[in-house]
Short mmCIF file of all heavy atoms in Angstrom, two decimals:
data_model
loop_
_atom_site.label_atom_id
_atom_site.label_comp_id
_atom_site.label_asym_id
_atom_site.label_seq_id
_atom_site.Cartn_x
_atom_site.Cartn_y
_atom_site.Cartn_z
N GLU B 11 -15.14 -23.68 30.46
CA GLU B 11 -15.44 -25.10 30.60
C GLU B 11 -14.47 -25.79 31.56
O GLU B 11 -14.77 -26.86 32.08
CB GLU B 11 -15.38 -25.77 29.22
CG GLU B 11 -16.47 -25.27 28.28
CD GLU B 11 -16.19 -25.54 26.82
OE1 GLU B 11 -15.06 -25.97 26.49
OE2 GLU B 11 -17.09 -25.31 26.01
N PRO B 34 -24.98 2.59 47.59
CA PRO B 34 -26.44 2.48 47.59
C PRO B 34 -26.88 1.14 47.02
O PRO B 34 -26.33 0.68 46.02
CB PRO B 34 -26.89 3.63 46.67
CG PRO B 34 -25.67 4.41 46.34
CD PRO B 34 -24.47 3.65 46.72
N ARG B 116 11.25 13.04 18.29
CA ARG B 116 12.25 12.48 17.37
C ARG B 116 11.63 11.50 16.38
O ARG B 116 12.02 11.45 15.21
CB ARG B 116 13.37 11.79 18.16
CG ARG B 116 14.28 12.78 18.88
CD ARG B 116 15.46 12.11 19.57
NE ARG B 116 16.25 13.10 20.28
CZ ARG B 116 17.18 13.86 19.71
NH1 ARG B 116 17.46 13.73 18.43
NH2 ARG B 116 17.84 14.76 20.42
N ALA B 168 -8.70 -0.19 -4.21
CA ALA B 168 -8.31 0.32 -2.88
C ALA B 168 -8.64 -0.66 -1.76
O ALA B 168 -9.55 -1.48 -1.88
CB ALA B 168 -9.02 1.64 -2.61
N VAL B 184 -16.64 8.08 -4.40
CA VAL B 184 -16.69 7.98 -5.87
C VAL B 184 -15.56 7.04 -6.28
O VAL B 184 -14.42 7.23 -5.86
CB VAL B 184 -16.49 9.37 -6.52
CG1 VAL B 184 -16.45 9.25 -8.03
CG2 VAL B 184 -17.59 10.32 -6.07
N ALA B 209 -10.77 14.82 -1.83
CA ALA B 209 -9.49 14.11 -1.86
C ALA B 209 -9.57 12.90 -2.79
O ALA B 209 -10.64 12.33 -3.00
CB ALA B 209 -9.11 13.64 -0.46
N MET B 211 -7.84 9.26 -2.62
CA MET B 211 -7.07 8.36 -1.75
C MET B 211 -6.36 7.34 -2.63
O MET B 211 -6.99 6.64 -3.41
CB MET B 211 -7.99 7.63 -0.77
CG MET B 211 -8.79 8.54 0.14
SD MET B 211 -9.88 7.63 1.28
CE MET B 211 -8.75 7.19 2.59
N ALA B 234 -5.15 20.64 -9.34
CA ALA B 234 -5.74 21.63 -10.25
C ALA B 234 -7.21 21.93 -9.90
O ALA B 234 -7.69 23.03 -10.15
CB ALA B 234 -5.63 21.13 -11.70
N ALA B 447 -3.60 -30.21 -7.28
CA ALA B 447 -4.82 -29.66 -7.88
C ALA B 447 -5.12 -30.34 -9.21
O ALA B 447 -6.27 -30.60 -9.55
CB ALA B 447 -4.68 -28.16 -8.07
#
Side-chain angles (χ1 to χ4, degrees):
Chain B
E11 294 161 351
R116 289 185 182 277
V184 176
M211 301 179 83

